[in-house]
Amino acid sequence: MKIGVPKEIKNNENRVGMTPSGVFELTKNKHIVYVQKDAGFGSGFSDLDYINAGAIVLETITDVYTSSDMIVKVKEPIAEEYPLIQSHHVVFTYFHFASSEPLTKAMLKSESVCIAYETVEDKDGSLPLLTPMSEVAGRMAIQQGAKYLEKPIKGRGVLLGGVPGVPPGKVLILGAGVVGIQAAKMAAGLGAQVTVMDINMKQLRYVNDVMPSHVVTEFSSEYNIRKRIKDHDLIIGGVLVRGAKAPKLITRDMLKDMRPGTVLVDVAVDQGGCMETTKATTHEDPTFIIDDVVHYCVANMPGAVPYTSTLALTNVTLPYVLRLANQGWETACKNDETLAKGLNIVKGKIVYEEIAEAFNWSVDAI
């Protein structure tokens, strides 16, 4: 198979869909890998690294798409890439279709096969290709939130860990999944007082068992959320509904109950956000303020730490890329139920129910 690895062109997206190590494994299996010039530069990989691993480096993104059968990326295609995706392509990347109708319509029109990292699902319900980026984003949420609590950038002026004689800051985490647990670890490590909320009691029991005593759990309800937002300095939104839009847990009217300079970090922004006032931002312009509340809603948070993120992502995607390349998408998905759940759009048809529900469309089964 001919596999293409284009350079990511989303704002400040420095990750790359494949490392030289991945190229080596694919070429060892007799596949041809085309890598766009400087695709790996932001993640610390030179064109020579790819060439030495067996790749063919092409000058432009158009060259890569035109030459390839399967495209391996990190982020969803943006408008400039829509015309490059054709009916013979298999595109393997993060899509988050439910949060973008234009992207969904463009991929339907292309009649390509779209396999989404975020909906590849193991038998135990875990999401193996989403987990590493959720781990990065959860940890980064605290790192970024701590920074934006500083007064020069309109935060409350609170040091999360406090100092002797001064209480630490308070962190509220909505969601006890991968993002929430990683955020809690980081916040606890800084010495903050942490509250983790979820509707899944099994997850809350797990958090209660593994976290230190200054991390407390509470059942999530609108009443409890409204109570907690009044005195917490940093609020992390880490809620996920597989393949669907995230529920709005923080509504517009709740902002008036927060103290000026409170910071909201919405990690669920890729799925439409779990806060009503969320709008996607970029690393170039990451925050905005509504009612004196600082919002950090960067849609590709792990892109700011591309070396770590690229290695973490490609560690888990490569086995699936090899399967798709060696067997073809139809056979690979037939033989692997986990991978089959990644199928979102196939030849002009939506095959993942939650996407259709997001736009009130009907589903066409394969």
Side-chain angles (χ1 to χ4, degrees), residues 42 55 72 81 91 163 195 210 217 230 259 286 315 318 343-344:
V72 179
E81 294 172 270
V91 186
V163 290
T195 302
V210 301
T217 58
K230 293 175 182 178
R259 294 177 293 189
N315 284 344
L318 182 60
L343 287 169
N344 279 204

Side-chain angles (χ1 to χ4, degrees), residues 308-354:
T308 299
S309 297
T310 292
L311 290 176
L313 177 62
T314 55
N315 284 344
V316 294
T317 56
L318 182 60
Y320 294 99
V321 172
L322 280 166
R323 227 164 288 164
L324 288 164
N326 289 338
Q327 301 174 27
W329 75 267
E330 288 178 280
T331 303
C333 290
K334 190 181 290 183
N335 293 340
D336 186 344
E337 191 180 327
T338 297
L339 181 59
K341 288 187 176 178
L343 287 169
N344 279 204
I345 291 176
V346 175
K347 301 295 181 183
K349 295 179 180 180
I350 293 175
V351 296
Y352 197 84
E353 188 175 352
E354 285 82 351

Side-chain angles (χ1 to χ4, degrees), residues 180-194:
I181 287 170
Q182 297 303 319
K185 274 185 187 176
M186 289 290 281
L190 287 172
Q193 291 182 15
V194 184

